[in-house]
Amino acid sequence: MKSRFTLIELLVVIALIAILAAMLLPALNQARERARATACLNNLGQVMKANTFYADDYKGVMPGRSNNKLFGRVLYLNRYLPHWKVLSCPSSPAPLAAAAMPKETDVWELRTYGAYLGNSSTDGWDYAARLKKAFGDFMFRAEGGDPTLYQANVFYNTVKNRRPSEYIMLMDTFKLDNQAPFYIFAPRGEVEQSRAHLIHSGRADAGYMDGHAGAANAEELKASPMGFTHFYKATGTTY
């Protein structure tokens, strides 16, 4: 005579499977997020290598930020990057992130990793009052004038930066009003609702001027020479 499961036994098996799935799901999600964080670091590493190659070709100069000559487009159009899709974090679900943009004509250059702004209206003359003392006077405008002006085409002189391994050029950002990455950030203020984004389990990935990429949590960013005070959590809420 064939043995058969009773209804109670079947329900017990289903319950055990559900419990095991509930136990495994967080671990799977964590593994998936670790993989995305690693991919994000790889992206930033690739972008920073592109910046380094650009600097090699232009006497130690790297593209910073501006309103019309954004760093990502400079690197991509001059063939230092294979594609614009490496310019945003794989963990970002935003349809407006660079990685999700299907066409070159899209505004992908606005939805990328953020570049340091150093603008007086958002962070109290952060560059002029603080960062220049810590790192050196490395920001400049090709056409001359004040590099802290928002509407300015800013470049970096890597030779004049005394601490390139500690200077965050690019990092994970989040712009609150459209729930997407944004191309600029201010460590000690908010610019157009954009802040550093602690998207990777409380950490943000960053690219440093010496070419390396790394992750840091809020306390580490606060203690860094850039002295961060403004963040968004992974959920988009303020820190």
Side-chain angles (χ1 to χ4, degrees):
M1 182 177 178
K2 294 182 180 179
S3 62
R4 296 177 181 177
F5 281 113
T6 66
L7 179 59
I8 293 176
E9 289 172 333
L10 183 60
L11 290 174
V12 169
V13 170
I14 292 172
L16 288 172
I17 292 172
I19 292 169
L20 288 172
M23 293 171 61
L24 289 173
L25 191 58
L28 290 173
N29 287 336
Q30 290 174 7
R32 191 179 297 114
E33 172 49 34
R34 284 195 296 270
R36 286 195 291 255
T38 299
C40 180
L41 276 178
N42 288 337
N43 281 359
L44 275 167
Q46 189 170 352
V47 177
M48 291 313 303
K49 284 184 176 64
N51 272 303
T52 301
F53 294 149
Y54 185 98
D56 288 342
D57 290 340
Y58 290 94
K59 300 180 180 179
V61 170
M62 288 182 178
R65 51 82 190 154
S66 77
N67 61 319
N68 60 0
K69 295 179 182 176
L70 305 177
F71 72 91
R73 189 167 285 277
V74 169
L75 295 174
Y76 172 64
L77 292 183
N78 287 283
R79 299 184 179 180
Y80 291 95
L81 285 176
H83 210 287
W84 68 82
K85 291 183 181 289
V86 301
L87 285 160
S88 70
C89 176
S91 290
S92 174
L96 293 177
M101 298 279 182
K103 297 181 296 185
E104 189 173 321
T105 53
D106 289 327
V107 292
W108 53 265
E109 71 268 30
L110 297 175
R111 314 300 183 211
T112 68
Y113 296 111
Y116 170 72
L117 179 63
N119 174 251
S120 60
S121 65
T122 60
D123 53 21
W125 287 97
D126 184 57
Y127 176 73
R130 205 173 54 85
L131 256 67
K132 190 160 62 172
K133 296 176 183 177
F135 292 94
D137 192 5
F138 62 92
M139 282 176 60
F140 71 97
R141 292 173 62 185
E143 63 270 35
D146 186 353
T148 65
L149 294 176
Y150 191 10
Q151 305 296 326
N153 301 318
V154 174
F155 293 84
Y156 302 134
N157 186 325
T158 61
V159 177
K160 291 186 176 181
N161 190 317
R162 297 190 296 265
R163 303 162 75 175
S165 64
E166 298 176 272
Y167 174 69
I168 295 176
M169 274 188 63
L170 305 171
M171 72 182 310
D172 285 316
T173 56
F174 183 78
K175 184 172 167 64
L176 188 62
D177 62 355
N178 61 22
Q179 307 286 295
F182 198 51
Y183 75 101
I184 43 180
F185 72 89
R188 301 172 72 82
E190 185 175 276
V191 51
E192 296 189 32
Q193 295 190 327
S194 177
R195 300 184 181 192
H197 194 195
L198 305 173
I199 190 172
H200 301 294
S201 302
R203 299 170 74 82
D205 286 344
Y208 295 78
M209 186 177 275
D210 69 342
H212 86 277
N217 61 30
E219 297 308 314
E220 291 168 331
L221 290 170
K222 288 177 183 177
S224 77
M226 297 189 74
F228 282 78
T229 58
H230 284 59
F231 311 90
Y232 282 125
K233 296 179 182 178
T235 57
T237 55
T238 54
Y239 183 79

